Amino acid sequence: MQFVDPAYAYPAVSFVVLGVFAQVASFLYLTALIFSGTRLAAAFRRRRRLSAGATSAAGALFLGFAVKLSLAGA
């Protein structure tokens, strides 16, 4: 196995430790995403022009991807 040594006397302990590390990392990452997303949403609500610009930029990006995709098949 990649992360657990099968020759170790107690491989279940390695799985538990690996699982705990993965859960802690996931919790910290998702917590950061939630708090930064909340702040970003509040900033977009306060600044209508910023919100409109970001929406337009995302739309232009998707249109650019569509053009690139349509030209790639040709």
Side-chain angles (χ1 to χ4, degrees):
M1 290 186 234
Q2 186 174 2
F3 297 109
V4 177
D5 183 13
Y8 182 61
Y10 304 104
V13 173
S14 299
F15 274 117
V16 169
V17 169
L18 182 62
V20 167
F21 280 143
Q23 290 301 317
V24 168
S26 178
F27 174 78
L28 293 174
Y29 171 71
L30 292 174
T31 300
L33 281 180
I34 289 167
F35 283 121
S36 61
T38 302
R39 292 184 68 141
L40 191 60
F44 280 139
R45 273 194 298 274
R46 284 192 309 272
R47 298 179 185 96
R48 293 288 180 190
R49 202 171 232 181
L50 177 64
S51 178
T55 302
S56 298
L61 186 68
F62 280 120
L63 286 174
F65 285 146
V67 168
K68 183 177 179 182
L69 185 62
S70 68
L71 293 177

